[in-house]
Amino acid sequence: LVEVIRSRRERWAAARREAGLARDREAARERVAIARDLHDVIGHSLSLINVQAGVALHLLDEQPDHARPALQTIKSVSHDALEEVRVVLDTLRDPGSATRSPAPTLLDVPALVEQTEQGPVAWTLAVTGSRGAVTSAVDTAAYRVVMEAMTNVRRHSSATRARIEIAYDEGGVGVRVTDNGRPEARRPDDPGAAIGLGLVGMRERVAALGGRLDAGPRPTGFTVEARFPRSTDQTTSEAP
């Protein structure tokens, strides 16, 4: 009887330890996911604000009317970034207390391109295939890859032109961002560089959903390309 009681206590203690380790692992995953979201949102917003502020300052004296759209973009982008950061911080302070706004999807990419109209990089967007049903996890991750790739173009290259391609097919969803910047200005393998951290986050997002990400220099620029499976165990979102 004593041996049975001892054995049961050991099993209960082991189960408690394993449950504690599982909670720690889940908390670590949540912290990484939050850090990745903050990196993407803040990096994108601040780089865009910096570009638009430069445009506004350039136009303010000679063409003040043309500076207004840049200032409006700064106001809109900073408001959205502050709201998203507030939600994340509220969630950290009191999990479950904050109500998240709908997660961004690939349908929001045109708005990203519109925000950059007055910047130094001329962006084009091409969408091919039938969207159909896309899991919400894939939709948001693909959007974040595009957003981070756009941020890296603005911050780490001398590009004057860039192109975003979104491709839907039966097997999955693909996104591709290319630019004509100087390849030597990009150091994706340098773990201390901001672009390196951005690529790490993109790879983590894509790998978590069973996809693949390729990024590197081309003879005439830089390419970031991600491929996601169309179907996962997550909920799906469809084009309106």
Side-chain angles (χ1 to χ4, degrees):
L1 180 61
V2 170
E3 181 63 23
V4 169
I5 294 174
R6 184 186 64 80
S7 177
R8 287 182 176 177
R9 285 178 175 174
E10 289 178 350
R11 290 200 299 271
W12 292 339
R16 286 195 296 271
R17 286 195 299 272
E18 181 57 33
L21 291 173
R23 288 193 297 270
D24 290 343
R25 288 193 294 270
E26 181 61 28
R29 283 194 292 268
E30 281 294 318
R31 286 195 295 271
V32 170
I34 289 171
R36 198 161 50 220
D37 284 345
L38 287 175
H39 172 275
D40 292 351
V41 171
I42 294 175
H44 167 79
S45 301
L46 290 181
S47 68
L48 184 55
I49 288 170
N50 181 65
V51 169
Q52 295 296 331
V55 171
L57 286 173
H58 177 71
L59 297 173
L60 199 57
D61 292 332
E62 298 180 1
Q63 298 175 292
D65 290 342
H66 290 78
R68 181 178 293 275
L71 294 174
Q72 290 174 333
T73 298
I74 290 173
K75 184 176 186 298
S76 174
V77 170
S78 59
H79 174 272
D80 293 344
L82 286 170
E83 183 63 21
E84 191 153 358
V85 170
R86 183 195 64 77
V87 171
V88 172
L89 295 180
D90 284 349
T91 302
L92 287 173
R93 186 179 298 111
D94 185 9
S97 66
T99 302
R100 283 188 173 273
S101 56
T105 72
L106 288 173
L107 296 175
D108 298 308
V109 171
L112 288 181
V113 175
E114 185 178 350
Q115 290 174 346
T116 64
E117 283 183 349
Q118 286 192 298
V121 182
W123 289 89
T124 58
L125 171 64
V127 181
T128 59
S130 175
R131 174 177 167 84
V134 180
T135 63
S136 58
V138 165
D139 223 358
T140 299
Y143 170 90
R144 295 295 192 195
V145 167
V146 171
M147 185 175 72
E148 177 62 19
M150 293 178 71
T151 300
N152 286 341
V153 170
R154 289 194 297 269
R155 295 177 62 187
H156 302 289
S157 79
S158 58
T160 57
R161 296 190 309 277
R163 178 178 175 85
I164 302 168
E165 299 172 69
I166 302 173
Y168 301 102
D169 58 46
E170 292 183 1
V173 179
V175 294
R176 189 168 185 259
V177 180
T178 57
D179 66 69
N180 69 341
R182 293 180 292 108
E184 63 271 17
R186 315 292 288 268
R187 301 178 60 196
D189 298 324
D190 180 0
I195 183 175
L197 296 176
L199 285 175
V200 168
M202 284 192 275
R203 292 189 192 281
E204 289 174 347
R205 287 184 186 278
V206 177
L209 296 171
R212 185 186 74 253
L213 184 135
D214 297 308
R218 301 178 297 128
T220 57
F222 198 88
T223 297
V224 173
E225 185 169 6
R227 175 76 180 176
F228 297 87
R230 181 177 284 273
S231 177
T232 69
D233 294 332
Q234 307 290 332
T235 57
T236 61
S237 60
E238 300 185 14

